[in-house]
Structure formats: C-alpha cells, structure tokens
Amino acid sequence: MTLTVAAVLVPLTLACASSQGAEAGQPVTGVDWRVDSLTAEGTTRHAPATAHIRIGTDGLAAGNLGCNQFSARATVQGDRITIGDVRATKMACDQERMAFERAFARTLTTGTLTARTDDGKLTLTDGDGDVVHLSRGAPE
C-alpha cells in the first residue's frame, strides 16, 4: 500500500515542480526578473535599466524589452520556456536601447528557451546559444 501511494505522489510532485520552472524551489514563473545582459551573435550587451520580464502562472509573460512594454503568451514545461504572440508598444528610443531591444525580442521568440536558476539568477538560452542573464527583482 505504501509503495502504491509513493508511486502516485512522486509523479505529482515532479509535475508540480516542473510547471514552476527550471528547478524545484527556484520558480521561474510568478517572479519579477530584471534583465542584466544579453549575449547574442557573439556580442554581449548590458541591458537598459528598464528591461525586465515576468512569466506568470497564467500562461502570459509581460515586461519591458529595453524601450517598449510587451506582453506575450508563455508556455513553461520544466526547464523549457516558449514565448510567442508578442505584442509591444511602438516607442522609439536611442539607437543603443533599440539594438538591445531587437536582440532581446529575437532571443525570446526564436524558439524554445532553456532556463537555469541559481541563487536568485536566471539564465535563458536559445537554440542558437544566445544567452539572457537575469536577476530576481524589479528594475530599479
């Protein structure tokens, strides 16, 4: 009887943990993540202070790409995140912020991202090897 209960509870526990994000105890969803930097196509760019993302438990993501606010559909399965159907405001900012924004938006939406959390940090890596580094907390 104990074995049967354990066999049922273990998959349920893993399913609950995987819907939260990269690692049990370190959720990706429901957290305000400040973007620190982005390395794309061999170039590392420091994020504008406004860049952030929050992936909700409701299947939506929202934040700021560096200049413009955005919202999107987000699917989280274990350490895999897919973001699509992005809607963003259309403000213009200086050239450096706009270059960061284009690279950040492209990295978020080019396919499935792999998420890794460690000590209040989140790393999102796309299939091309581009990496977004984030820290827990809203932008300052």
Side-chain angles (χ1 to χ4, degrees):
M1 175 99 158
T2 303
L3 183 58
T4 303
V5 172
V8 171
L9 289 178
V10 170
L12 288 175
T13 302
L14 292 175
C16 291
S18 67
S19 70
Q20 287 292 306
E23 299 171 15
Q26 300 226 355
V28 170
T29 58
V31 176
D32 290 317
W33 294 103
R34 180 183 64 248
V35 182
D36 297 323
S37 66
L38 164 69
T39 301
E41 299 174 351
T43 301
T44 298
R45 294 179 169 92
H46 294 285
T50 55
H52 67 276
I53 186 169
R54 180 181 183 92
I55 302 169
T57 56
D58 58 359
L60 299 175
N64 184 293
L65 295 166
C67 178
N68 288 286
Q69 299 292 324
F70 79 97
S71 63
R73 182 180 41 78
T75 304
V76 179
Q77 295 180 326
D79 68 345
R80 306 289 183 194
I81 300 172
T82 305
I83 296 176
D85 299 331
V86 175
R87 295 177 182 221
T89 58
K90 297 187 186 287
M91 295 174 35
C93 291
D94 63 74
Q95 186 176 7
E96 188 175 324
R97 284 176 70 182
M98 295 307 294
F100 178 88
E101 180 165 299
R102 282 188 297 276
F104 184 37
R106 185 175 46 251
T107 300
L108 288 179
T109 61
T110 57
T112 301
L113 300 164
T114 302
R116 298 278 180 244
T117 57
D118 183 36
D119 196 30
K121 303 284 187 183
L122 170 64
T123 303
L124 300 174
T125 306
D126 74 5
D128 295 329
D130 296 342
V131 180
V132 182
H133 296 277
L134 307 98
S135 296
R136 183 181 282 272
E140 300 171 359

